[in-house]
Amino acid sequence: MRLTGRAPRPSWVGLLTASFMGLQAVGAVELNLDDDLSIKKASKQVATNMMSYYTGMNPGDNPGNLPDPYYWWEAGAMFGALVDYWFFTGDTQWNNITIQGMLWQAGDNGAFMPSNQSKTEGNDDQAFWGFAAMSAAERNFPNPPADKPQWLEMAQAVFNTQASRWDPGTCGGGLRWQIFTWNNGYSYKNTISTGGFFNIASRLYKYTGNQTYADWAEKAWDWTKQVGFMTDTYHFWDGASDLTGCKDMNKIEWTYNTGVYLLGAASMYNATEDPKWKYRVQQVLNASDVFFATNPVNVMYERACETVNTCMVDQRSFKGYLARWMAATTQMAPFTYDQIMPKLRATAEAAAKSCTGGSEGTTCGLKWTEQKWDNTKDFGQQMASLDVIQANLITHVAPPVTSHDGGTSKGNPDAGGKPKEPMPKALSFSITTADKAGAGILTAMTMVMIGGSCGWLIWD
Ligand SMILES: *[C@@H]1O[C@H](CO)[C@@H](O)[C@H](O)[C@H]1NC(C)=O
Ligand SMILES: *[C@@H]1O[C@H](CO)[C@@H](O)[C@H](O)[C@H]1NC(C)=O
Ligand SMILES: *[C@@H]1O[C@H](CO)[C@@H](O)[C@H](O)[C@H]1NC(C)=O
Ligand SMILES: *[C@@H]1O[C@H](CO)[C@@H](O)[C@H](O)[C@H]1NC(C)=O
Ligand SMILES: *[C@@H]1O[C@H](CO)[C@@H](O)[C@H](O)[C@H]1NC(C)=O
């Protein structure tokens, strides 16, 4: 995500929509949390509005991308929300779109490293697609055609490519924010990248039982603590530059960092039943209290930016991830249920009250604590509202499957490597398109050499 390095996208979205302020909403999202049908209906309304941003399924459009100003990773997050949506509600409306978009972006080796993204793709961005794939495996989402990469395989491909980037050369380990050396932010080690890897490793361990994943999860957790990105009181800072040994930390606290470690720890607890992990889950959960208001009580807010009106485009979606991972935590660590549900309920109610904007009266605001529409619209805040509303269905759905307990997704522990025999195709590519591509070829060839595992896509 875009805290440092890359030029931030302006948060003009909110300003722009101020001009719609006078518009009278025709509807509103009604929500009765004690009635499943009501939660499903509200989820559908909010999801429909969210999907109005997405055009990737249209002929000639690009599956798995959202239009400007939304970065590629956020589409991965969207497919994660849609997997949950299908599982929680039973509504298959967006399943095909999800399968199409994820397969398109996963590429032949399933690792979600399309060459189109090589100018910006960070480990955290890749992880958000990995989360969607992992959820699809855990929920037995309809499997892709047999000749395509499978959900579990994709999550493993993300894991494998990231494990190979683990970098003990500076700060004692961790993942860099950026994947490619030429991108701004390569020298930044950040919590969401390491946390994303931790989250996927722990869930892969729960799903497959393969000890390698558990070892990596332990390692990622320990490093996060050692380097100080996780404090002694289980708060999470954003990250630090490795040029100064990760000493000078960016002490900004985001909801999604807490969420990504919470579910990872809960998955480790579920798989190991080790009291150490139970303790960690409890501590991270208690520390998450800072993201919940006292008035209105238990309503989530992004304290780093909402109160000062500085939430950038990416950040407008973050609360949704804490909500979805808290919900998933109640299944992996049921002892947290009584502590988490009042928060998901109060937050969902407040979020729904914020969804009265736009011509349909289903556009959700950013600041749920206001309990009314705050005159802004944005894809991410719409997705976050969906996340927290549908999270309240968690009580009524089965826990994740595993490979020895109902899971049907096929894995491949070695996923993420290069495809076989890429050279002939590469040659034909450069011959047929050399004229038009011009300098692009040079960049492409450089990438093949430097990028290694990402080079494969150039041959598509
Ligand atoms: C989804 O795709 C399958 C296979 O292509 C097709 O049979 C089905 O009708 C599609 N469903 C929807 C809702 O579009
Ligand atoms: C990459 O960009 C090209 C050109 O816009 C597009 O045709 C292609 O579908 C994109 N690939 C992916 C994986 O998005
Ligand atoms: C965590 O929070 C719960 C609920 O607020 C509280 O009862 C408990 O004592 C806290 N535990 C720790 C270890 O702080
Ligand atoms: C692990 O998850 C399952 C499914 O939700 C649950 O029944 C079980 O109690 C969990 N294990 C622990 C140790 O909480
Ligand atoms: C466990 O995972 C590791 C790492 O991906 C892999 O090398 C190994 O083959 C896996 N073991 C089994 C039994 O699948």
Side-chain angles (χ1 to χ4, degrees), residues 156 159-160 208 210-213 216 412-415:
Q156 288 170 315
F159 170 87
N160 287 338
T208 65
N210 183 330
Q211 183 63 32
T212 305
Y213 301 127
W216 275 103
N412 169 10
D414 301 322

Side-chain angles (χ1 to χ4, degrees), residues 299-317:
V299 175
M300 197 194 300
Y301 70 113
E302 197 66 74
R303 64 204 282 268
C305 64
E306 271 181 34
T307 52
V308 286
N309 296 318
T310 55
C311 296
M312 310 298 286
V313 170
D314 285 341
Q315 299 156 3
R316 289 169 175 258
S317 70

Side-chain angles (χ1 to χ4, degrees), residues 191 198 221-222 224-226 228-237 253-255 257-262 265 275-291 303 322:
T191 306
F198 166 68
W221 173 280
D222 290 348
T224 310
K225 192 120 210 307
Q226 258 159 35
F229 291 179
M230 175 176 18
T231 71
D232 290 342
T233 52
Y234 299 87
H235 292 263
F236 294 86
W237 307 140
E253 240 185 305
W254 298 110
T255 45
N257 280 322
T258 288
V260 85
Y261 281 89
L262 178 67
K276 167 182 88 180
W277 284 109
K278 182 176 188 183
Y279 177 81
R280 291 169 174 178
V281 171
Q282 183 67 69
Q283 297 296 323
V284 174
L285 181 57
N286 280 22
S288 76
D289 281 351
V290 295
F291 300 117
R303 64 204 282 268
L322 177 54

